[in-house]
């Protein structure tokens, strides 16, 4: 296994409202190895975006973060603002979902890519411009000289996202956090972008944390998958096993919901109830009132993450009982 | 920072409103009572703001002047609002040539200096409180029209409007029942700022002698009357000046604060 | 064969663009550029395409939210291409639409009860009790208790709002519903609920749907027949199963291969290079010729016609065309 680049331990993110803390991310543990593409999957409100933001240090000002984010041996959460800022763009970069709003509408796209070079590297403007041309070519842009001078509104969604990717890879970061990078794009453009990301990962060995709600995309891109629900990690596995043997009832249910050719003609499986709100501080398993396999103890106790197969962990009492892993 | 503007504005306005309400029933001295022996008295416990050239108590006159300020302001803004919103809504929603023509008219009205228009109006139709209100009201129409129109331009593309159309709602129904409840905030902000402008305009007109005539009290007219005596009785000019400023400031703070609230949403 | 509930012939919707001066020519954005198809009663007709292909414009033009530039729309045998006024209002009862954005399609300042009653008031149902009965009937169908009538849209979740949108489209008892990306803004688990609701309602009320989406999996799952749209035109249409398993048009094959699936048998992915051409200046000949890897000389000169492969499959491509 490659060297461990990031070690996220017991990460919790909460928001304070009138003296009470409401947790959006709870006790998240996972690792990212060098050159690995890790998928963080879940539906809206599960905490996946916040988790990604906490690694790069862009959480909202009122977020209270606890735990450790160990990068090359140092805990990023113990660093001050300046130190964290120095990692941004250089060691850790981010691709957001909406290319239109993540680019400055008043700045030429080439200059925006160049800016990240000028901030993070010792390089003069002219050299930087040349490097920008190289980067633009590497992502498949033709006619880079003309493209450099264009403004974001003159480009299509796919092209804008490619510019965002240029900015993200400009300084050869160790980790690229991609938050739903293709959700706002057409299917054919999505295919292009996913191919590009795979190519970057292969050529530069940058790790990617791929955040998405789309299992199909995750399957295509990632080697490790983490499923989140209501702020918790409910299942963690290598890519093959999560589809061949999903253990957590939520994962199973989610996979069953997805429309597929063979399901045609029959009602789709749907999960009753809805996702608990952030203000819901009830104990026990967050999936309790929607789970077809819920046991009585699930109401009050929170299951631990346990390993069921090599590299396949899940957090479920029902799974424990089924596999004879109950506490003695 | 977040709510200070609104608070300051509200405090000032509540104070002035209270003063106005009280003045309807009570003033320290009758407004028109003259007392030549006490003319030009400086501010004292007996006359809080002093007396004018006829010995009339300035505080009492200022208090009752607030009635005119609020009354004229409210009515003028109402005229501006009713017609401005109507024009803006129709213009924004219907669009096309109607919109172009209407907006050019509004532009022309905006370009024309307000006070000049009021002067013209008053010159043609005569002075007095009714015409003051009408003139200022007409002057207020374009800004309401613009604000409403831009809201309607935005909202008419929203899906709830398309939904309403798809259900068979007529344009008028959509304009007044569906979109209007959604665009009240900018109109309210315009109203507060419009009120401030109206008060200032009334003061200006009355100062020129073309606005509110006796016996109606007016801060603007007091400013005019006090001018000659400014060296011997400056308090005569200061009192109405301060109150005009306060009222305008109050509405401006409130309007700014509301606008900030809007932009935060 | 039964007469179709909807027949569309050579429909065009062009949007004039602002001219720079009175003397320059008016340019048009050709959003819908000659579309013809028919829909049978009780079927779900899926229209698939990417952004900019004109599918939403097509749906809204069928609804008369846009006036057609030219062409014919025939509903239940009646030509409704250019109706207005009273006839259009009557038509509103028979054809309804569900939009994509559940957050935008409900008036934020009105309670749910008002939103649902409004169409009935517009169409003259004066009896309050009758209106409330109808509203309650539909609320129950969608799984809401009547307390929701007093709530505002902001108090509901995305899935709940979309369910309200769906029943609000049913309140006038339409025959045809145009669903414009009805589940695209929803989470997967909520999406499943909505799709199930739509199929249930279809059975209960004998509805016909035109289901517009960019999500191939969803469209394939729910549709009887599918049409693929590109740059304002249909390029292929036919039975859903057939289109999915044996697509012929180069765009369709690329589209299907581009979708990341959980399918074990992954077909070879065809990456389409380039971008969508400008709909103001569509290419001469076949609209796909700028990006098609099979394009040959004829494709740049002549617009292809629809070729009938069989009753269940039509494709518009010179590769299959007659000489």
């Amino acid at each position: 296994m490659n060297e461990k680049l990031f070690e996220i331990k017991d990460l919790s993110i909460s928001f304070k409202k009138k003296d009470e803390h409401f947790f959006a991310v709870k006790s998240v543990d996972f690792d990212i190895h060098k050159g690995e593409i890790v998928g963080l999957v879940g539906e809206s409100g599960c905490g996946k975006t916040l988790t990604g933001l906490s690694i790069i240090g862009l959480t909202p000002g009122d977020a209270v973060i606890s735990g450790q984010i160990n990068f090359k041996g140092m805990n990023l959460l113990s660093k001050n603002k300046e130190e964290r800022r120095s990692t941004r763009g250089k060691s850790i970069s981010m691709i957001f979902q909406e290319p239109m709003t993540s680019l400055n509408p008043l700045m030429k796209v080439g200059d925006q890519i160049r800016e990240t070079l000028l901030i993070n590297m010792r390089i003069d403007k002219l050299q930087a411009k040349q490097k920008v041309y190289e980067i633009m070519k590497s992502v498949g842009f033709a006619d880079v000289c003309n493209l450099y001078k264009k403004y974001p509104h003159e480009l299509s969604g796919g092209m804008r996202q490619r510019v965002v990717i240029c900015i993200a890879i400009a300084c050869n970061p160790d980790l690229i956090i991609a938050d739903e990078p293709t959700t706002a794009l057409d299917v054919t453009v999505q295919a292009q972008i996913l191919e590009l990301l795979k190519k970057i990962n292969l050529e530069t060995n940058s790790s990617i944390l791929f955040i998405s709600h789309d299992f199909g995309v995750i399957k295509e891109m990632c080697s490790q998958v983490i499923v989140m629900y209501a702020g918790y990690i409910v299942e963690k596995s290598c890519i093959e096993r999560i589809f061949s043997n999903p253990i957590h009832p939520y994962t199973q249910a989610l996979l069953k919901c997805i429309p597929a050719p063979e399901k045609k003609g029959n009602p789709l499986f749907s999960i009753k109830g809805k996702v608990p709100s952030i203000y819901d501080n009830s104990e026990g398993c967050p999936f309790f009132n929607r789970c077809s396999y819920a046991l009585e103890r699930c109401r009050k106790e929170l299951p631990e993450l346990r390993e069921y197969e090599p590299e396949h962990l899940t957090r479920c009492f029902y799974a424990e009982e089924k596999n004879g892993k109950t506490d003695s | 920072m977040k709510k200070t503007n609104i608070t300051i504005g509200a405090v000032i306005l509540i104070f002035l409103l209270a003063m106005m309400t009280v003045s309807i029933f009570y003033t320290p001295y009758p407004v028109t009572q003259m007392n030549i022996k006490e003319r030009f008295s400086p501010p004292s416990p007996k006359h809080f703001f002093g007396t004018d050239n006829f010995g009339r108590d300035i505080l009492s006159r200022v208090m009752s002047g607030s009635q005119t300020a609020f009354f004229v302001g409210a009515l003028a803004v109402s005229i501006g609002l009713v017609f401005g919103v109507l024009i803006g809504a129709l213009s924004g929603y219907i669009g096309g040539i109607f919109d172009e023509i209407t907006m050019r008219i509004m532009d022309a009205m905006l370009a024309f200096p307000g006070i000049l228009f009021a002067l013209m109006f008053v010159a043609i139709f005569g002075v007095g409180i009714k015409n003051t209100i009408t003139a200022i009201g007409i002057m207020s129409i374009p800004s309401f029209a613009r604000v409403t129109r831009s809201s309607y331009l935005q909202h008419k593309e929203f899906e709830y409007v398309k939904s309403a159309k798809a259900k068979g709602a007529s344009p008028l129904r959509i304009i007044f029942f569906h979109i209007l409840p959604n665009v009240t905030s900018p109109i309210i902000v315009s109203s507060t700022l419009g009120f401030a402008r109206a008060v200032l305009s009334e003061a200006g007109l009355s100062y020129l002698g073309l606005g509110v005539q006796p016996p109606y009290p007016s801060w603007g007219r007091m400013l005019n009357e006090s001018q000659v005596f400014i060296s011997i009785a400056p308090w005569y000019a200061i009192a109405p000046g301060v109150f005009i400023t306060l009222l305008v400031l109050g509405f401006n703070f409130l309007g700014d604060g509301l606008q900030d609230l809007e932009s935060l949403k | 064969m039964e007469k179709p509930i909807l027949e569309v012939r050579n429909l065009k919707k062009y949007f004039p663009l602002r001219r720079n001066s009175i003397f320059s020519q008016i340019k048009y954005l050709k959003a819908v550029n000659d579309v013809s198809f028919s829909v049978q009663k009780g079927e779900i007709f899926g229209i698939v395409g990417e952004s900019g292909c004109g599918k939403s414009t097509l749906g809204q033009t069928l609804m008369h939210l846009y006036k057609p530039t030219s062409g014919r729309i025939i509903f239940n045998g009646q030509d409704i291409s250019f109706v207005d006024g009273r006839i259009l209002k009557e038509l509103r009862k028979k054809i309804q639409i569900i939009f994509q954005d559940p957050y935008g399609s409900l008036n934020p300042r009105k309670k749910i009860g008002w939103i649902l009653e409004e169409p009935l008031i517009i169409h003259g149902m004066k009896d309050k009790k009758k209106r409330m009965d109808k509203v309650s009937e539909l609320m129950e169908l969608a799984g809401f208790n009547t307390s929701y009538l007093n709530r505002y849209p902001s108090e509901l979740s995305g899935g709940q709002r979309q369910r309200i949108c769906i029943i609000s489209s049913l309140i006038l008892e339409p025959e045809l519903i145009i669903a414009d990306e009805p589940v695209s803004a929803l989470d997967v688990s909520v999406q499943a609920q909505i799709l199930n609701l739509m199929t249930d309602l279809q059975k209960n009320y004998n509805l016909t749907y035109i289901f517009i989406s960019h999500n191939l999996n969803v469209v394939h799952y729910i549709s009887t027949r599918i049409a693929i749209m590109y740059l304002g035109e249909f390029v292929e249409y036919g039975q859903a199963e057939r289109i999915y398993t044996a697509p012929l048009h180069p765009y369709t094959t690329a589209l299907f291969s581009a979708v990341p699936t959980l399918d074990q048998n992954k077909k070879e992915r065809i990456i389409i290079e380039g971008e969508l051409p400008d709909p103001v200046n569509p290419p001469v000949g076949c609209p796909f010729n700028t990006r098609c890897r099979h394009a040959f000389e004829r494709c740049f000169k002549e617009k292809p016609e629809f070729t009938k492969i069989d009753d269940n499959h039509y494709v518009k491509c010179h590769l299959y065309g007659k000489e």
Side-chain angles (χ1 to χ4, degrees):
Chain A
M1 191 37 126
N2 286 338
E3 82 180 80
K4 213 185 278 194
L5 216 54
F6 281 87
E7 209 182 11
I8 288 111
K9 277 197 185 147
D10 203 23
L11 179 71
S12 290
I13 305 176
S14 63
F15 294 91
K16 215 168 136 183
K17 193 177 173 182
K18 290 187 192 171
D19 293 333
E20 262 199 88
H21 276 263
F22 295 103
F23 285 86
V25 173
K26 305 164 194 168
S27 312
V28 161
D29 289 293
F30 65 96
D31 304 322
I32 305 175
H33 298 89
K34 196 165 170 58
E36 195 181 12
I37 303 183
V38 175
L40 204 50
V41 72
E43 297 181 293
S44 32
C46 69
K48 56 192 193 298
T49 298
L50 263 179
T51 306
L53 288 174
S54 69
I55 298 176
I56 194 170
L58 289 175
T59 44
D62 52 345
V64 178
I65 312 178
S66 68
Q68 295 179 36
I69 299 179
N70 293 326
F71 173 51
K72 292 185 172 163
M74 306 173 296
N75 181 3
L76 291 176
L77 291 176
S78 65
K79 300 274 167 224
N80 65 35
K81 274 196 190 171
E82 263 310 301
E83 290 167 324
R84 286 218 78 176
R85 198 177 56 77
S86 65
T87 57
R88 255 176 253 147
K90 193 157 52 164
S91 323
I92 311 174
S93 66
M94 189 145 181
I95 302 169
F96 296 93
Q97 175 174 347
E98 274 296 337
M100 197 54 212
T101 48
S102 31
L103 290 174
N104 187 335
L106 299 176
M107 221 169 137
K108 296 185 189 136
V109 296
D111 285 336
Q112 297 192 47
I113 306 171
R114 185 170 69 165
E115 188 178 26
T116 202
L117 290 170
L118 294 173
I119 295 173
N120 291 302
M121 297 167 70
R122 289 189 175 291
I123 188 172
D124 72 54
K125 280 197 171 183
L126 240 58
Q127 277 183 308
K129 195 167 189 181
Q130 289 308 312
K131 188 140 173 55
V132 170
Y133 288 144
E134 277 172 41
I135 298 171
M136 288 172 84
K137 283 193 202 137
S138 78
V139 305
F141 278 132
D143 196 12
V144 290
C145 294
N146 265 328
L147 207 61
Y148 186 106
K149 301 181 216 159
K150 294 227 181 230
Y151 288 90
H153 67 267
E154 297 178 270
L155 306 177
S156 70
M159 292 172 89
R160 284 179 220 151
Q161 199 62 314
R162 260 194 268 211
V163 169
V164 171
I165 292 177
C166 288
I167 300 175
I169 63 172
C171 304
N172 262 326
D174 295 295
L175 174 68
I176 303 172
I177 302 175
D179 188 1
E180 307 264 18
T182 56
T183 304
L185 304 172
D186 282 323
V187 144
T188 48
V189 180
Q190 174 176 270
Q192 293 173 0
I193 299 292
L194 293 178
E195 286 298 317
L196 175 60
L197 287 173
K198 277 197 265 190
K199 176 173 153 240
I200 291 170
N201 167 255
L202 260 138
E203 287 177 2
T204 66
N205 218 17
S206 296
S207 312
I208 302 181
L209 179 65
F210 200 100
I211 303 174
S212 178
H213 64 275
D214 187 336
F215 266 111
V217 171
I218 295 276
K219 179 170 195 221
E220 174 153 338
M221 296 293 295
C222 310
S223 51
Q224 194 200 155
V225 179
I226 300 165
V227 182
M228 283 184 78
Y229 182 79
Y232 288 103
I233 294 184
V234 295
E235 191 155 359
K236 214 189 326 184
S237 155
C238 65
I239 194 71
E240 296 82 18
R241 283 197 238 271
I242 199 119
F243 294 107
S244 60
N245 183 24
I247 302 180
H248 197 279
Y250 174 63
T251 317
Q252 291 176 356
L254 211 53
L255 289 168
K256 276 203 259 181
C257 284
I258 301 172
E262 57 279 7
K263 298 182 192 169
K264 195 170 163 66
N266 299 317
L268 286 169
F269 181 83
S270 76
I271 316 178
K272 62 179 196 288
K274 52 183 193 155
V275 180
S277 90
I278 188 180
Y279 301 110
D280 191 337
N281 267 341
S282 49
E283 313 155 314
C285 178
F287 196 56
F288 170 69
N289 55 1
R290 308 177 76 191
C291 182
S292 328
Y293 307 105
L295 304 167
E296 192 46 44
R297 77 186 288 208
C298 303
R299 186 195 296 271
K300 285 279 162 149
E301 286 176 66
L302 181 71
E304 299 273 314
L305 264 179
R306 288 184 201 276
E307 200 177 41
Y308 290 83
E309 296 174 303
E311 288 176 32
H312 191 169
L313 292 83
T314 197
R315 193 196 282 279
C316 178
F317 288 131
Y318 174 73
E320 282 180 22
E321 278 194 15
K322 231 176 77 166
N323 292 283
K325 278 186 184 291
T326 48
D327 279 333
S328 47
Chain B
M1 190 52 221
K2 291 182 194 161
K3 286 194 179 167
T4 34
N5 280 348
I6 301 184
T7 324
I8 297 176
V11 162
I12 296 176
L13 290 176
I14 291 175
F15 164 68
L16 290 170
L17 264 173
M19 182 178 86
M20 180 199 84
T21 322
V22 165
S23 78
I24 299 177
F25 305 104
Y26 164 79
T27 54
Y29 293 82
V31 169
T32 45
Q33 183 187 70
M34 304 193 204
N35 190 343
I36 302 296
K37 267 198 289 188
E38 300 196 335
R39 59 204 293 251
F40 297 131
S41 330
S44 66
K46 200 168 167 210
H47 292 282
F48 199 72
F49 281 132
T51 59
D52 65 2
N53 54 322
F54 289 118
R56 297 178 292 198
D57 177 42
I58 292 178
L59 172 60
S60 308
R61 290 180 67 78
V62 156
M63 280 172 75
S64 83
S66 69
Q67 293 174 31
T68 310
F70 274 108
F71 184 64
V72 169
L75 278 182
V77 162
S78 303
I79 295 177
L81 192 150
V82 165
F83 289 99
V85 167
L86 188 63
I87 293 173
L90 289 171
S91 202
Y93 190 79
I94 298 176
I97 290 281
F98 176 75
D99 177 36
E100 297 268 359
I101 296 178
T102 320
M103 278 306 116
R104 295 296 81 77
I105 298 176
M106 293 294 118
D107 282 342
M109 284 175 77
L110 272 173
F112 205 84
I115 203 83
L116 225 66
F117 171 80
L119 283 175
M120 269 174 49
F121 191 88
V122 148
I124 300 175
F125 294 105
V127 303
I129 196 167
K130 261 203 295 195
N131 290 334
T132 307
I133 295 174
T134 314
I136 301 176
I138 295 179
M139 272 161 57
S140 318
I141 293 177
S143 57
F144 278 104
R146 292 207 136 256
V147 158
T148 311
R149 174 181 174 267
S150 70
S151 295
Y152 270 82
L153 280 180
Q154 223 192 353
H155 278 253
K156 78 172 179 184
E157 300 302 331
F158 285 179
E159 268 170 11
Y160 74 87
V161 172
K162 287 193 189 175
S163 273
K165 265 198 234 178
K167 304 281 191 284
S170 66
L172 275 178
R173 197 182 175 86
I174 294 178
I175 291 175
F176 293 110
F177 284 95
H178 290 256
I179 302 183
L180 193 57
N182 281 289
V183 302
T184 48
S185 309
I187 296 176
I188 292 177
V189 172
S190 269
S191 304
T192 50
L193 298 173
F195 212 118
R197 268 199 314 263
V199 165
L200 221 45
S201 303
E202 181 273 314
L205 275 178
S206 301
Y207 172 83
L208 294 171
L210 299 168
V212 170
Q213 303 295 312
Y216 294 108
S218 162
W219 292 338
R221 224 176 51 245
M222 283 175 77
L223 272 181
N224 174 304
E225 291 161 0
S226 65
Q227 258 199 319
V228 221
F229 308 111
I230 201 132
S231 41
I232 43 173
W235 52 87
Y236 187 179
I238 292 175
V242 161
F243 276 88
I244 294 174
T245 312
L246 263 183
L247 185 54
V248 171
L249 264 182
F251 274 112
N252 273 310
F253 271 118
L254 189 64
D256 274 352
L258 287 174
Q259 214 164 33
D260 290 339
L261 253 189
E262 261 302 290
S263 60
L264 279 178
K265 270 198 218 154
Chain C
M1 183 149 82
E2 215 183 284
K3 232 181 152 60
I5 187 174
L6 183 74
E7 247 191 283
V8 178
R9 294 193 201 141
N10 305 106
L11 187 64
K12 290 188 183 161
K13 177 64 195 166
Y14 290 178
F15 291 102
L17 297 174
R18 269 227 128 127
R19 291 184 277 193
N20 287 330
S21 77
I22 305 183
F23 302 103
S24 55
Q25 261 206 327
I26 304 182
K27 290 205 194 140
Y28 291 97
L29 192 147
K30 300 177 182 154
V32 178
N33 201 5
D34 200 340
V35 167
S36 307
F37 66 104
S38 59
V39 180
Q40 296 296 329
K41 193 165 170 66
E43 82 166 311
I44 301 185
F45 190 88
I47 301 179
V48 165
E50 298 182 296
S51 45
C53 72
K55 56 195 193 301
S56 282
T57 309
L58 176 59
Q60 293 183 35
T61 308
L62 292 174
M63 275 296 293
H64 273 284
L65 288 172
Y66 295 126
K67 293 264 165 274
T69 304
S70 70
R72 294 252 156 278
I73 306 172
I74 299 165
F75 180 69
N76 273 335
Q78 199 194 352
D79 189 332
I80 60 163
S81 325
F82 298 101
V83 288
D84 231 329
R86 171 129 284 158
I87 310 178
L88 180 58
K89 193 171 173 185
E90 278 305 302
L91 195 63
R92 295 282 184 228
K93 289 200 265 190
K94 309 229 185 76
I95 311 181
Q96 276 299 310
I97 189 163
I98 303 168
F99 289 102
Q100 168 178 358
D101 182 8
Y103 291 77
S105 10
L106 296 175
N107 192 328
R109 289 272 201 269
K110 297 287 184 189
K111 293 190 185 163
I112 302 292
W114 186 94
I115 296 174
L116 290 173
E117 264 192 87
E118 172 75 347
L120 296 170
I121 298 176
I122 293 173
H123 288 271
M125 192 182 281
K126 297 208 165 60
D127 186 346
K128 174 110 182 152
K129 179 155 192 318
K130 267 174 83 179
R131 294 199 301 260
M132 291 316 291
D133 283 341
K134 184 88 197 147
V135 168
S136 308
E137 175 197 325
L138 284 168
M139 288 289 273
E140 219 186 286
L141 210 72
F144 286 106
N145 69 53
T146 44
S147 72
Y148 278 89
L149 291 174
N150 274 325
R151 298 200 197 175
Y152 287 92
S154 53
E155 301 175 60
L156 271 55
S157 72
Q160 288 174 319
R161 283 184 225 198
Q162 198 61 314
R163 278 189 284 153
I164 296 289
C165 287
I166 292 175
I167 59 179
S168 118
S169 72
L170 287 174
I171 207 118
L172 294 173
E173 296 176 15
E175 295 172 41
L176 172 66
I177 294 189
I178 299 174
D180 189 358
E181 307 266 16
V183 293
S184 305
L186 304 171
D187 279 324
V188 157
S189 57
V190 180
Q191 181 178 283
Q193 287 176 0
I194 299 295
L195 290 173
N196 287 343
L197 176 63
M198 287 178 76
T199 36
D200 279 343
L201 291 170
Q202 189 207 18
K203 292 194 197 104
N204 283 333
Y205 289 89
N206 199 18
L207 298 168
T208 309
Y209 287 126
I210 294 182
F211 195 101
I212 300 172
S213 178
H214 65 274
N215 187 328
L216 289 152
N217 288 325
V218 167
V219 175
H220 171 250
Y221 164 76
I222 202 167
S223 312
T224 328
R225 286 191 297 149
I226 300 180
I228 314 287
M229 196 163 175
Y230 184 81
L231 209 62
E233 301 176 38
F234 281 3
V235 296
E236 188 165 7
Y237 68 91
Q239 289 288 49
E241 204 52 45
R242 169 70 70 82
I243 302 288
Y244 189 83
T245 50
L248 292 176
H249 195 282
Y251 177 63
T252 318
T253 45
L255 204 61
F256 279 107
S257 80
V259 179
T261 62
L262 301 178
D263 204 347
Q264 299 296 65
N265 324 309
K266 189 83 181 107
K267 296 172 258 203
E268 182 223 323
R269 163 167 289 169
I270 305 165
I271 305 282
I272 310 181
E273 300 303 330
E275 304 282 328
L276 197 71
D278 187 0
V280 177
N281 282 315
V284 174
C286 174
F288 195 54
N289 63 23
T290 58
R291 307 167 79 189
C292 180
R293 50 186 202 162
H294 301 288
F296 56 95
E297 208 186 316
R298 194 175 173 200
C299 306
F300 294 91
K301 295 205 195 123
E302 211 185 302
K303 224 182 181 24
E305 300 277 323
F306 265 109
T307 311
K308 178 175 175 169
I309 307 291
D310 59 44
D311 273 338
N312 294 329
H313 200 166
Y314 289 76
V315 67
K316 198 157 90 171
C317 176
H318 286 309
L319 287 173
Y320 308 97
K322 313 197 167 38
E323 284 309 305

